[in-house]
Amino acid sequence: MTPRKSTAHLPQTTDRRIDALLTLLAENATIVISGARIAKEIGVTRQQVWRWIEKLRALGVKVKGHPHTGYHIERFPDILAPQMLSHRLYGTPFARRIHHFFKIDSTNTVAMRMGEQGEPHGTLVLAEEQTAGRGRAGRSWVSERSVGIYCTILLRPPIPPAHAPLLTLVAGLAARDAAAEDLDKSPDIRWPNDLLVGGKKFGGILTEMHAEPDRLHYAVVGIGINVNQSKMPAELAEIATSLKIETSRPHSRFELLVRLLRHFDRYYNRFISDGSQPIVRRFAEVSSYFRGKRVRITTLTEQFTGTTAGLESSGVLRVSRDDGRGTELVLAGDVAEAD
Ligand code: BTN
């Protein structure tokens, strides 16, 4: 077991007491609670309650009322509040340690540091906003405040490093199934990790790990989903979308995240108990990229076209090359649809 080191120099997570305030307001959404009662229950001054209410309002939480009459929440806030999430994730490994940030550079970066410091399997890192969200191949991930899901799961899986790509597939399947309930069309997965609807990307996964050749110490699986963006930045509009753009209605990030993590738990347990077969089979059912898709592959060293021919049991993509050089096993690289 990795020794537990102090987490004292990690960035400051959201104050547990703001989280408690949010839970108190959300659980009493139909009544007005006085500032004095809130202050007493949480153990802070009424002035502090007022300051936090202002902070929640700045984040888009509709809190009605003022210090004299009391406060109530107009509708269930779509904040990924740890206490409420933990309650809904009961029975999964994700209910125990949830680190929430209003603003952070990257949940993956924080989770890698937490992995190094001995945080346990199942630790979740969530952010309302990322200032340096990271995508695959050194790209950035646009992470506007409170409209997307920016979530990283820290895992300590009992698998060899060579099987780590399957964690990306597990996350992709979980996110795809969770989002399917919000969409009118069936979402697709472009190997290994792009979530697509109508040919445009609405989510992605970045898996990073700390490993030796034969031993995986920990892996972090970062999931980004565009949920309530009303429009995408101009330079991405041709290739990226959000659930709201696709359906013309807003969606609950909170409910989507709960579903995603519950699906993740199910697929992950299946993978650990039965190996990669059920994951590969499910991928074949839901991904149009599994077999017979004309693709252009770009790796670090070359670019070629071909036709997809299923996955290896390690999650690696098989592509039958157009240039007659046989079947290529694609470990990592960009996959684009070819004409
Ligand atoms: C991709 O498709 O390029 C992967 C995108 C992954 C984005 C998520 S958002 C949460 C986590 N933190 C990051 O910095 N990146 C991942």
Side-chain angles (χ1 to χ4, degrees), residues 147 178-187 196-198 200 202 225-232 240-252 256 259:
V147 288
E181 290 186 38
D182 277 314
L183 287 162
D184 309 319
K185 293 180 249 174
S186 178
L196 306 178
V197 61
K200 288 187 178 181
F202 68 90
I225 303 188
N226 302 334
V227 185
N228 287 326
Q229 286 85 345
S230 300
K231 66 185 194 62
M232 300 309 294
T241 189
S242 74
L243 301 183
K244 186 176 176 190
I245 294 171
E246 291 303 306
T247 56
S248 311
R249 58 177 194 276
H251 298 268
S252 163
L256 177 60
R259 286 202 302 275

Side-chain angles (χ1 to χ4, degrees), residues 118-335:
E119 282 284 287
H121 175 84
T123 295
L124 283 186
V125 183
L126 305 170
E128 298 295 322
E129 177 181 0
Q130 294 185 120
T131 53
R134 295 190 281 114
R136 282 177 64 235
R139 288 186 280 259
S140 61
W141 186 259
V142 180
S143 311
E144 206 190 319
R145 187 171 79 193
S146 298
V147 288
I149 287 178
Y150 318 116
C151 160
T152 301
I153 310 173
L154 171 65
L155 299 168
R156 298 188 183 276
I159 58 168
H163 288 181
L166 285 153
L167 298 173
T168 303
L169 297 189
V170 163
L173 290 172
R176 184 241 161 243
D177 287 2
E181 290 186 38
D182 277 314
L183 287 162
D184 309 319
K185 293 180 249 174
S186 178
D188 196 2
I189 310 179
R190 179 171 53 205
W191 184 93
N193 74 332
D194 291 339
L195 300 166
L196 306 178
V197 61
K200 288 187 178 181
K201 178 162 168 171
F202 68 90
I205 291 139
L206 177 65
T207 301
E208 298 175 288
M209 59 179 166
H210 177 55
E212 286 163 57
D214 56 347
R215 182 156 169 244
L216 177 55
H217 294 288
Y218 57 87
V220 306
V221 179
I223 305 167
I225 303 188
N226 302 334
V227 185
N228 287 326
Q229 286 85 345
S230 300
K231 66 185 194 62
M232 300 309 294
E235 66 281 11
L236 295 176
E238 291 275 294
I239 51 165
T241 189
S242 74
L243 301 183
K244 186 176 176 190
I245 294 171
E246 291 303 306
T247 56
S248 311
R249 58 177 194 276
H251 298 268
S252 163
R253 291 180 310 141
F254 183 90
E255 293 299 330
L256 177 60
L257 182 61
V258 168
R259 286 202 302 275
L260 190 161
L261 292 167
R262 289 207 160 270
H263 283 306
F264 188 97
D265 189 43
R266 184 169 53 83
Y267 281 121
Y268 177 83
N269 289 339
R270 191 82 203 278
F271 166 47
I272 297 303
S273 61
D274 298 349
S276 63
Q277 266 221 348
I279 304 304
V280 172
R281 262 204 309 269
R282 179 69 181 147
F283 192 83
E285 279 169 10
V286 297
S287 170
S288 74
Y289 282 77
F290 182 74
R291 194 184 294 283
K293 179 77 114 193
R294 299 271 312 125
V295 288
R296 172 176 303 281
I297 306 286
T298 308
T299 69
L300 277 179
T301 49
E302 63 167 345
Q303 198 178 75
F304 62 90
T305 54
T307 305
T308 60
L311 298 187
E312 294 283 291
S313 62
S314 60
V316 162
L317 181 68
R318 287 196 288 256
V319 179
S320 160
R321 297 175 68 118
D322 285 346
D323 58 13
R325 286 164 61 188
T327 298
E328 195 73 44
L329 299 182
V330 182
L331 246 112
D334 266 346
V335 178

Side-chain angles (χ1 to χ4, degrees), residues 76-93:
F76 192 79
D78 196 23
I79 287 207
L80 309 177
Q83 262 190 28
M84 287 188 280
L85 262 177
S86 162
H87 186 67
R88 293 285 301 281
L89 293 171
Y90 182 76
T92 74

